[in-house]
């Protein structure tokens, strides 16, 4: 009976060694390829300064209080705030970063913030979702934007800072501006007459307050109309006096011309 050999011949020893070597190298080669592919996909399409490492570095360098939609109301309640809205890859934001950090350091010193009622904060408008949500809440359109003021009632009293952006400018502005002001959340800062008026508003209901707003707005309209009428009368009087002046100057010029003509005539007669 004819014996059949193995279905496949024994591989060549060199080929067998090559296969074993490749089998041993394949896992580390695959890992290396995966790392390279991840790096390429992560950074190839990002311009300098916008890659994740650069962004994390900028965020980590912020020394002001980091605010988001999750902690804003809690951390700013009852505070006078100076808040920077920024982006980690915004050139103008980077230019003022050092001055802002210096300001944050200054107000973190107990002797410069004795009542601990001043907060220097930063909000990253590119950080999802909490940072972006907070920038949307305050309708931030350009970066950097800086808001300041009393943070009571969710920040309705905040105004935009439009000054220069050096540490000295920030510090001088903050020392003059970040002081308690009379409002429904800070009655102790009100003068006696202001407090009486504020408390009378607080005691009113919604309908009374709406009626009060309409009354004040009507008073504004009436005041503008009064001064527009006064301005019109002043303008008419000014026009009359301007016409009188023009007529007088014209008569004077005519008199001077005639006198000069007489002098010329006399000189000619004498010669």
């Amino acid at each position: 009976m004819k014996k059949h050999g193995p279905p496949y011949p024994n591989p060549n020893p060199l080929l067998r060694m090559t296969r074993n070597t490749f089998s041993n190298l394949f896992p580390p080669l695959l890992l290396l390829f995966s790392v390279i592919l991840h790096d390429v996909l992560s950074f190839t399409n990002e311009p300098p300064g916008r890659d994740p490492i650069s962004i994390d570095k900028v965020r980590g360098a912020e020394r002001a209080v980091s605010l988001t939609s999750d902690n804003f109301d809690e951390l700013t309640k009852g505070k006078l705030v100076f808040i920077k809205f920024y982006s980690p890859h915004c050139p103008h934001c980077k230019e003022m970063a050092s001055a802002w950090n210096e300001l944050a350091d200054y107000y973190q010193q107990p002797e410069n913030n004795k009542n601990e009622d001043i907060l220097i904060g930063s909000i990253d408008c590119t950080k999802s979702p909490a940072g972006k949500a907070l920038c949307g809440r305050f309708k931030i359109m350009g970066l950097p934007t800086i808001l300041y003021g009393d943070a009571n009632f969710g920040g309705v009293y905040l105004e935009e800072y439009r000054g220069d952006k050096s540490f000295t400018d920030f510090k001088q502005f903050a020392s003059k501006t970040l002081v308690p002001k009379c409002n429904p959340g800070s009655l102790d800062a009100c003068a006696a007459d202001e407090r009486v008026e504020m408390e009378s508003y607080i005691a009113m209901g919604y309908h009374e307050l709406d009626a009060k707003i309409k009354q004040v707005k009507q008073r504004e309209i009436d005041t503008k109309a009064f001064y527009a009428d006064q301005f019109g009368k002043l303008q008419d009087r000014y026009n009359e006096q301007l016409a009188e002046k023009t007529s007088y100057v014209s008569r004077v010029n005519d008199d001077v011309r005639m006198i000069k003509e007489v002098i010329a005539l006399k000189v000619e007669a004498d010669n």
Side-chain angles (χ1 to χ4, degrees):
M1 185 174 183
K2 187 176 180 181
K3 294 183 179 180
H4 296 281
Y8 302 100
N10 290 330
N12 185 288
L14 180 61
L15 180 60
R16 187 186 305 117
M17 184 176 63
T18 303
R19 286 178 178 173
N20 292 337
T21 303
F22 181 76
S23 298
N24 293 331
L25 290 176
F26 183 74
L29 287 173
L30 181 61
L31 178 60
L32 178 61
F33 178 75
S34 299
V35 171
I36 294 174
L37 182 62
H38 176 270
D39 291 345
V40 169
L41 293 177
S42 298
F43 299 104
T44 299
N45 296 322
E46 296 292 348
R50 289 178 179 260
D51 58 275
I53 293 178
S54 296
I55 290 175
D56 289 342
K57 184 177 180 181
V58 173
R59 287 172 176 164
E62 285 289 326
R63 298 201 291 272
V65 177
S66 178
L67 298 172
T68 67
S69 58
D70 296 327
N71 65 13
F72 182 87
D73 293 332
E74 177 186 355
L75 295 183
T76 63
K77 184 178 181 181
K79 302 282 188 181
L80 298 165
V81 301
F82 213 1
I83 301 173
K84 174 185 72 171
F85 295 79
Y86 77 103
S87 162
H89 42 71
C90 157
H92 296 298
C93 301
K94 292 178 180 179
E95 288 176 4
M96 63 167 282
S98 176
W100 196 253
N101 280 338
E102 196 172 352
L103 183 72
D105 292 341
Y106 177 83
Y107 278 104
Q108 286 168 6
Q109 300 300 318
E111 63 271 20
N112 300 326
N113 194 5
K114 295 180 180 179
N115 298 323
E116 297 184 352
D117 58 347
I118 295 176
L119 181 144
I120 309 300
S122 292
I123 299 170
D124 181 357
C125 290
T126 67
K127 195 171 186 178
S128 297
K132 286 185 176 181
L134 198 53
C135 294
R137 168 176 161 182
F138 286 101
K139 298 179 173 60
I140 301 302
M141 303 300 292
L143 298 174
T145 292
I146 300 173
L147 299 184
Y148 70 92
D150 190 329
N152 278 309
F153 303 104
V156 296
Y157 299 118
L158 297 184
E159 302 177 57
E160 184 172 354
Y161 171 79
R162 299 183 182 277
D164 292 331
K165 296 178 175 63
S166 70
F167 166 67
T168 301
D169 294 315
F170 287 146
K171 179 174 170 293
Q172 289 178 348
F173 181 84
S175 63
K176 294 178 181 178
T177 309
L178 295 184
V179 294
K181 295 182 180 179
C182 179
N183 62 55
S186 301
L187 291 177
D188 291 339
C190 300
D193 56 340
E194 290 178 323
R195 181 160 187 154
V196 170
E197 184 178 16
M198 190 70 70
E199 289 177 338
S200 70
Y201 291 151
I202 293 173
M204 293 181 181
Y206 290 114
H207 293 299
E208 290 177 291
L209 290 170
D210 286 340
K212 188 67 176 179
I213 290 174
K214 291 178 182 178
Q215 178 186 348
V216 172
K217 285 186 175 180
Q218 185 59 50
R219 192 183 306 158
E220 178 188 9
I221 293 172
D222 294 342
T223 300
K224 287 181 177 179
F226 171 79
Y227 282 104
D229 179 64
Q230 293 298 308
F231 177 79
K233 292 177 180 178
L234 289 173
Q235 186 66 49
D236 291 341
R237 179 59 180 157
Y238 171 78
N239 291 338
E240 291 175 4
Q241 291 185 331
L242 181 62
E244 290 177 6
K245 183 200 79 169
T246 302
S247 177
Y248 175 78
V249 170
S250 178
R251 290 198 304 272
V252 168
N253 289 336
D254 289 342
D255 289 344
V256 170
R257 177 179 54 79
M258 286 189 292
I259 292 171
K260 287 182 177 180
E261 290 175 350
V262 169
I263 291 175
L265 184 62
K266 285 180 175 288
V267 169
E268 184 178 353
D270 290 342
N271 293 332

